[in-house]
Amino acid sequence: MAAAVRALLRPAAVARRLLGPGPGPGPVPLPPGRPLPAARGPPFQFLQVQKAGAKGSVGLIRLQRPQALNALCEGLMAELRRALDAFEADAQVGAIVITGSDKAFAAGADIKEMQGKSFQQCYGGAFLAGWDRVATVRKPTIAAVNGYALGGGCELAMMCDIIYAGETAQFGQPEILLGTIPGAGGTQRLTRAVGKSLAMEMVLTGDRISAAEAKAAGLVSKVFPVDKLLDAAISCAEKIAGNSKLVVAMAKESVNAAFETTLAEGNRTEKRLFYATFATDDRKEGMTAFVEKRKANFTDS
């Protein structure tokens, strides 16, 4: 009996019970890319990490835990923080793409790790606090979501600045079915993205929404065929990386202020950052290039 219970608590088993049959095949190879020299430390166990794009200007991270539908264990999240720190420090990288497999972006947090935790352990150890690193990266992040993005997987996607979805993607916060609630921003970011009514329905019932429904609700920007999703996300990241990295960071900070402050305070933040662009060489180059009818040559200064 004990063995049977342990089997049911394995992340993949929990996901199958909550989700039913998978939406598609397993992982496919990443496109050719460059290694990541800045990621010092042991080899990645749960991630594939490389630089992508014609100029190597895109940081590409693939969650690689297929036997558990990319359940977000503590080891995976620690590696994700290390990869993000490396890309943040890499001057060549202008944007970051996070993806999973065709079957699952991430089916949730690792229930097997969570199952035995006490209140004291969660509160005293600030459980899940390290996940916020995804939301605090200064460089733009794009979640390329195929398959399941549920629980912690949905929260991880919502920490990114842009969400692109494959046609088979499914989003949800099913924690209520496990006797708990979202703990990494699900009740907050989902409500801001789709509004109170739909967020409340998803959180209280555990029901999922499709990629098309997510786009209609404003959770995702665009929906693509499964086999086109990653290329589209990398293309968007390359376009972002082609702009001034300094000014892109200012633009990201200003948009984020709309979610975290009042309208009046957000407008003040926008004005302050707008004025700050006039102290940059890239603002001068951008406007000069426009007047001279040529392409701007930004130097990130």
Side-chain angles (χ1 to χ4, degrees), residues 244-269:
S244 165
K245 296 179 181 63
L246 184 63
V247 178
V248 163
M250 293 179 182
K252 172 174 172 170
E253 180 182 347
S254 187
V255 173
N256 280 336
F259 281 84
E260 298 168 0
T261 63
T262 64
L263 176 60
E265 182 59 34
N267 279 331
R268 283 193 288 270
T269 297

Side-chain angles (χ1 to χ4, degrees), residues 188-293:
Q188 303 304 301
R189 292 189 176 93
L190 185 63
T191 305
R192 285 165 169 77
V194 306
K196 178 183 175 182
S197 181
L198 180 55
M200 195 71 83
E201 180 183 1
M202 292 173 66
V203 170
L204 298 185
T205 66
D207 287 349
R208 309 185 299 273
I209 60 174
S210 67
E213 290 170 324
K215 184 178 185 302
L219 182 60
V220 308
S221 300
K222 295 178 181 177
V223 178
F224 299 90
V226 170
D227 61 344
K228 305 294 184 184
L229 172 67
L230 186 56
D231 286 343
I234 292 173
S235 177
C236 178
E238 282 190 286
K239 186 178 294 186
I240 293 170
N243 295 315
S244 165
K245 296 179 181 63
L246 184 63
V247 178
V248 163
M250 293 179 182
K252 172 174 172 170
E253 180 182 347
S254 187
V255 173
N256 280 336
F259 281 84
E260 298 168 0
T261 63
T262 64
L263 176 60
E265 182 59 34
N267 279 331
R268 283 193 288 270
T269 297
E270 181 186 78
K271 281 291 191 297
R272 173 176 58 81
L273 292 168
F274 169 65
Y275 297 153
T277 66
F278 283 76
T280 68
D281 294 335
D282 284 341
R283 192 281 314 169
K284 183 176 181 179
E285 165 63 12
M287 291 189 176
T288 300
F290 177 83
V291 170
E292 295 178 353
K293 296 181 173 56

